[in-house]
Amino acid sequence: QVQLLESGGGLVQYGGSLRLSCTASETTFSTYTMGWFRQAPGREREFVAGISWNENHTRYADSVKGRFTISRDNAAKTMYLQMTNLNVDDTAAYYCAAGNAIMAHSNSRYYTYWGQGTQVTVSS
């Protein structure tokens, strides 16, 4: 029963930056692979970024590579998504996810636990 809580979303101007956080209640946080997904109205949920439990492997969607950086602080049981150079296509609800896989994966089937989401809106 992993509880995940996202924060850091909000309204940002085109080209701006935001940092999302995801804090887990589980003491075994360090053993989970973690990921960020996003979903805009009328669109399917898509993978954004993932990070393995040992921080040795990260994966990014092509659409965010070079702009977003995923990281985690296992001692704080927190995962971060640093987003820069935001554009209107980044507008979506962003969800934190956790799974038992060793490596980061882009497919949502590898993730078992999900947060409630935090809204990111990029204005033009």
Side-chain angles (χ1 to χ4, degrees):
Q1 296 183 352
V2 178
Q3 303 293 322
L4 303 174
L5 179 62
E6 304 97 332
S7 63
L11 177 65
V12 63
Q13 189 177 14
Y14 175 85
S17 301
L18 282 176
R19 188 180 73 167
L20 305 183
S21 299
C22 172
T23 300
S25 62
E26 256 286 337
T27 57
T28 58
F29 173 84
S30 62
T31 68
Y32 290 95
T33 185
M34 304 291 295
W36 289 97
F37 291 76
R38 67 186 182 187
Q39 186 170 23
R43 299 180 61 183
E44 296 180 349
R45 182 170 297 186
E46 65 175 349
F47 171 79
V48 177
I51 185 168
S52 63
W53 67 270
N54 61 358
E55 305 181 47
N56 289 328
H57 181 260
T58 58
R59 186 186 297 269
Y60 295 93
D62 289 340
S63 59
V64 306
K65 190 174 298 183
R67 299 188 297 119
F68 291 9
T69 302
I70 189 171
S71 62
R72 63 192 293 169
D73 183 343
N74 289 339
K77 298 185 293 184
T78 302
M79 176 181 64
Y80 304 95
L81 183 68
Q82 179 66 49
M83 306 183 295
T84 63
N85 195 24
L86 289 163
N87 58 67
V88 294
D89 292 331
D90 296 316
T91 295
Y94 284 72
Y95 296 89
C96 172
N100 292 320
I102 296 175
M103 299 176 63
H105 294 277
S106 60
N107 196 308
S108 61
R109 67 184 178 91
Y110 289 97
Y111 299 90
T112 303
Y113 307 101
W114 298 82
Q116 295 299 309
T118 184
Q119 179 67 37
V120 173
T121 302
V122 183
S123 64
S124 60

